[in-house]
């Protein structure tokens, strides 16, 4: 990786501007002092340096490399000239040492920085050689020489402090960047698998002390291979990044999202039980259904949920969620499977669910009432009652389709296809021995009763009400 790609221009511009502006002020002061002590040349060279420093301050935000090159070159040459004019006892040779250090903090290529430091060393040797051969060109009084020494020492210490501050900031920033790279997936910017193992161990230690719940949601994009095969991996990468943005937009700041590998992710939910995790999964599921990628179109995901049980290992905990995820895959995809969700809140009938058709409204209310009765069922009753609920849904769908055809609902065929898809998934789950009865009931309740009949069905309510109104006239 090049120096330029690692370099933080904004931080360098801020830090270097402090140097350039400080040099601008110091040069202005020196120009006046050189004029006062009667040197015939230095006020004019300082004026030239003042103009160049002003140019450096102006160009620095736009071209920091050029600004640093011009500044270091002119200050080095002027430093040599000052040494030959006023000698080494006035402290002007300190600037050459400081400039050598400053070179190491530029964004120049490594070999240019090495050459720059070597050039500063050569210039120092050259200045001392000229001074020894020609002698001082301007004699300072001891008081003047001491005053220059104090001022130059102070200025150079300030410059060194500025360089150290910049170096510390750079180290801190690069350390943070390295930590981010070590725990973050480079494509999606979700956390990576290694960090998942670390955080899961930390959370399990925490909940042992505080007895708080912890849940995880494993989810996987459905038929993602088809996206890559049909549209190419760049589009697949965009879909993955979009999925992460959608998931992050539905969770709390304390919830952590990890990319485990490929198209599989894990969402860690501290202080969240199975029911809360189910609600989060439903939000992500709905957001995905409503989202559309400009090239790949709509896509779905399957979800597996587990709440940590005391006494189990972190591997067993993760495997339960992963097992539920693959049960959702085998059950027809776009499903949420959880054996930990505690269903405590009964459904309350909403007047907005009333279509105005006596038979449809009566069936909807019966389904809601029967679903509520399952909430109080014993464990051995759960599966038979869920099967009965599915049979009631099947009968309702048949009646509903007849009514939709009768009123001429334009999306009747699409509605029929949705019915068949949801019933097919419910049938698959009811036949699977590796999916808990509670998980099957949750699917029928949420995907069929709530999502479809009490949400999607409202799409045809206006047409149905208009039909019933015209029929009554």
């Amino acid at each position: 990786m090049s120096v330029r790609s690692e370099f933080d221009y904004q931080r360098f511009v801020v830090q270097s501007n402090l140097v350039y502006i400080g040099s601008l002020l110091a040069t202005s002061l020196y120009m006046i002092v050189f004029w006062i002590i009667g040197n015939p040349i230095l006020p004019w060279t300082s004026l030239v340096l003042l103009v160049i420093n002003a140019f450096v301050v102006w160009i620095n935000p736009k071209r920091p490399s050029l600004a640093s090159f011009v500044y270091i070159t002119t200050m080095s040459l002027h430093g040599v000239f000052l040494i030959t004019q006023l000698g080494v006892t006035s402290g002007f040779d300190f600037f050459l040492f400081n400039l050598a250090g400053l070179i190491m903090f530029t964004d120049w290529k490594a070999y240019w920085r090495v050459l720059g430091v070597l050039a500063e060393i050569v210039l120092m040797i050259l200045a001392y050689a000229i001074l020894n051969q020609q002698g001082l060109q301007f004699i300072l009084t001891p008081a003047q020489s001491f005053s220059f020494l104090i001022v130059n020492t102070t200025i150079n210490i300030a410059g060194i402090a500025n360089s150290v501050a910049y170096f510390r900031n750079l180290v801190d920033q690069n350390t943070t960047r390295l930590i981010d790279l070590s725990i973050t997936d480079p494509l999606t910017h979700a956390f990576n698998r290694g960090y998942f193992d670390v955080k899961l161990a930390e959370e399990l230690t925490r909940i042992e002390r505080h007895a708080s719940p912890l849940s995880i949601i494993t989810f996987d994009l459905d038929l993602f291979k088809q996206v890559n095969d049909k549209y190419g991996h760049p589009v697949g990468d965009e879909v993955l990044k979009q999925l992460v943005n959608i998931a992050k937009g539905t969770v709390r700041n304390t919830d952590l999202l990890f990319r485990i590998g490929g198209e599989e992710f894990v969402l860690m939910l501290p202080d969240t039980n199975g029911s809360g995790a189910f609600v989060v999964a439903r939000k992500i599921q709905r957001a995905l259904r409503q989202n559309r990628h400009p090239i790949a179109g709509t896509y779905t995901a399957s979800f597996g949920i587990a709440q940590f049980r005391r006494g189990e290992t972190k591997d067993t905990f993760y495997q339960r969620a992963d097992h539920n995820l693959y049960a959702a895959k085998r059950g027809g995809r776009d499903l949420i499977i959880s054996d930990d969700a505690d269903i405590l809140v009964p459904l309350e009938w909403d007047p907005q669910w009333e279509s105005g058709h006596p038979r449809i409204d009566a069936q909807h209310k019966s389904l809601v009432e029967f679903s509520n009765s399952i909430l109080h069922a014993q464990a051995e009753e759960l599966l038979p009652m869920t099967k009965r609920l599915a049979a009631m849904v099947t009968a309702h769908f048949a009646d509903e389709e007849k009514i939709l055809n009768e009123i001429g609902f334009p999306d009747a065929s699409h509605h029929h296809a949705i019915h068949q898809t949801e019933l097919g998934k419910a049938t698959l789950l009811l036949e699977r021995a590796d999916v808990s009865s509670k998980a099957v009931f949750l699917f029928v309740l949420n995907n069929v009763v709530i999502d479809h009949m009490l949400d999607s069905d409202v799409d045809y309510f206006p047409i149905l009400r208009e039909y019933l109104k015209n029929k009554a006239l």
Side-chain angles (χ1 to χ4, degrees):
M1 188 177 292
S2 68
V3 174
R4 183 175 298 275
S5 62
E6 296 176 349
F7 200 79
D8 184 351
Y9 278 110
Q10 185 176 6
R11 190 177 296 277
F12 176 75
V13 167
V14 171
Q15 292 293 134
S16 58
N17 261 345
L18 292 176
V19 174
Y20 303 154
I21 293 173
S23 178
L24 191 68
L25 296 174
T27 302
S28 302
L29 176 64
Y30 278 135
M31 184 175 65
I32 297 172
V33 172
F34 292 149
W35 179 78
I36 292 173
I37 65 176
N39 188 286
I41 301 175
L42 290 180
W44 299 105
T45 59
S46 298
L47 179 61
V48 173
L49 190 64
L50 191 66
V51 173
I52 294 175
N53 279 352
F55 168 77
V56 166
V57 171
W58 174 75
I59 199 66
N60 189 43
K62 304 172 186 177
R63 300 184 62 184
S65 297
L66 175 62
S68 59
F69 176 77
V70 171
Y71 175 79
I72 291 172
T73 301
T74 54
M75 287 298 294
S76 299
L77 295 175
H78 194 250
V80 171
F81 188 70
L82 286 172
I83 293 172
T84 61
Q85 287 284 311
L86 305 177
V88 295
T89 58
S90 56
F92 285 104
D93 52 335
F94 295 164
F95 285 103
L96 295 180
F97 288 101
N98 207 336
L99 289 169
L102 183 62
I103 288 173
M104 300 309 296
F105 297 105
T106 64
D107 65 332
W108 301 355
K109 300 271 187 197
Y111 57 86
W112 283 116
R113 282 183 283 170
V114 172
L115 289 175
V117 172
L118 292 175
E120 291 296 326
I121 295 174
V122 170
L123 286 174
M124 282 186 240
I125 296 173
L126 179 63
Y128 294 147
I130 294 173
L131 184 62
N132 289 331
Q133 183 177 3
Q134 297 183 358
L136 287 175
Q137 301 299 306
F138 187 84
I139 306 298
L140 295 173
T141 66
Q144 290 173 339
S145 182
F146 181 74
S147 298
F148 275 123
L149 180 62
I150 295 298
V151 173
N152 287 333
T153 301
T154 303
I155 292 174
N156 280 275
I157 289 175
I160 292 171
N162 181 60
S163 296
V164 170
Y166 170 71
F167 178 73
R168 289 187 61 182
N169 288 335
L170 194 62
V171 169
D172 291 343
Q173 185 184 45
N174 286 337
T175 300
T176 302
R177 191 175 300 167
L178 287 173
I179 293 174
D180 288 342
L181 288 173
S182 69
I183 65 175
T184 305
D185 171 54
L187 174 65
T188 63
H189 300 298
F191 294 119
N192 58 27
R193 175 60 188 263
Y195 193 52
F196 169 70
D197 293 334
V198 172
K199 288 303 294 182
L200 182 57
E202 289 179 359
E203 281 299 314
L204 294 183
T205 301
R206 184 184 67 84
I207 65 176
E208 284 180 3
R209 295 196 306 267
H210 302 289
S212 55
L214 172 68
S215 296
I216 58 174
I217 304 172
T218 59
F219 58 101
D220 187 296
L221 278 175
D222 297 326
L223 304 174
F224 182 66
K225 185 177 183 299
Q226 294 183 7
V227 175
N228 281 333
D229 292 344
K230 185 175 181 180
Y231 302 107
H233 288 278
V235 173
D237 291 346
E238 290 178 10
V239 169
L240 290 175
K241 290 188 283 188
Q242 189 180 63
L243 168 65
V244 167
N245 290 334
I246 290 172
K248 286 182 176 180
T250 61
V251 299
R252 305 166 300 180
N253 292 334
T254 54
D255 301 329
L256 303 175
L257 180 62
F258 305 85
R259 186 186 182 191
I260 300 302
E263 64 272 25
E264 185 173 348
F265 297 84
V266 173
L267 190 60
M268 186 182 296
L269 307 171
D271 303 314
T272 304
N273 59 20
S275 295
F278 197 93
V279 171
V280 173
R282 293 260 297 147
K283 288 180 179 179
I284 299 174
Q285 183 187 51
R286 286 187 172 187
L288 289 178
R289 290 174 178 175
Q290 296 168 2
N291 177 70
R292 184 175 181 82
H293 187 271
I295 298 175
T298 56
Y299 52 90
T300 60
S302 299
F303 301 80
I305 299 173
Q307 178 181 339
F308 181 72
R309 297 169 180 171
R310 286 200 175 275
E312 71 177 342
T313 65
K314 66 183 182 70
D315 291 335
T316 304
F317 176 37
Y318 173 73
Q319 287 167 5
R320 283 198 300 113
D322 205 43
H323 170 82
N324 287 334
L325 167 62
Y326 284 97
K329 288 283 189 185
R330 292 189 296 269
R333 305 183 187 89
D334 191 24
L335 302 179
I336 303 171
I337 300 295
S338 171
D339 52 10
D340 286 314
D342 299 317
I343 311 162
L344 301 175
V345 181
L347 289 174
E348 294 185 5
W349 180 260
D350 191 329
Q352 293 183 352
W353 296 337
E354 294 182 1
S355 67
H357 194 286
R359 191 190 316 167
I360 288 178
D361 290 342
Q363 290 178 352
H364 280 176
K365 289 178 180 179
S366 295
L367 288 167
V368 169
E369 291 171 0
F370 189 70
S371 297
N372 286 337
S373 70
I374 300 178
L375 303 182
H376 309 290
Q378 299 297 318
E380 64 275 9
E381 298 175 328
L382 192 55
L383 185 58
M385 294 183 74
T386 301
K387 289 181 177 179
R388 183 180 169 189
L389 176 63
M392 293 172 63
V393 169
T394 302
H396 165 68
F397 280 173
D399 286 344
E400 184 180 75
E401 288 173 14
K402 290 180 182 177
I403 294 171
L404 293 183
N405 288 327
E406 179 184 335
I407 67 174
F409 182 54
D411 288 333
S413 59
H414 177 64
H415 212 75
H416 171 73
I418 295 175
H419 287 172
Q420 296 305 305
T421 299
E422 299 301 335
L423 288 176
K425 291 178 180 179
T427 301
L428 282 174
L429 289 176
L430 286 166
E431 293 173 351
R432 297 198 64 87
D434 58 345
V435 180
S436 70
S437 300
K438 183 183 289 185
V440 177
F441 171 62
L442 283 172
F443 167 76
V444 175
L445 175 66
N446 287 287
N447 285 56
V448 181
V449 176
I450 297 177
D451 267 1
H452 179 66
M453 291 190 300
L454 302 182
D455 283 348
S456 299
D457 279 0
V458 298
D459 293 340
Y460 68 75
F461 284 2
I463 296 177
L464 178 59
R465 289 166 183 158
E466 186 66 24
Y467 171 82
L468 294 173
K469 179 180 177 181
N470 293 335
K471 188 176 179 180
L473 294 177

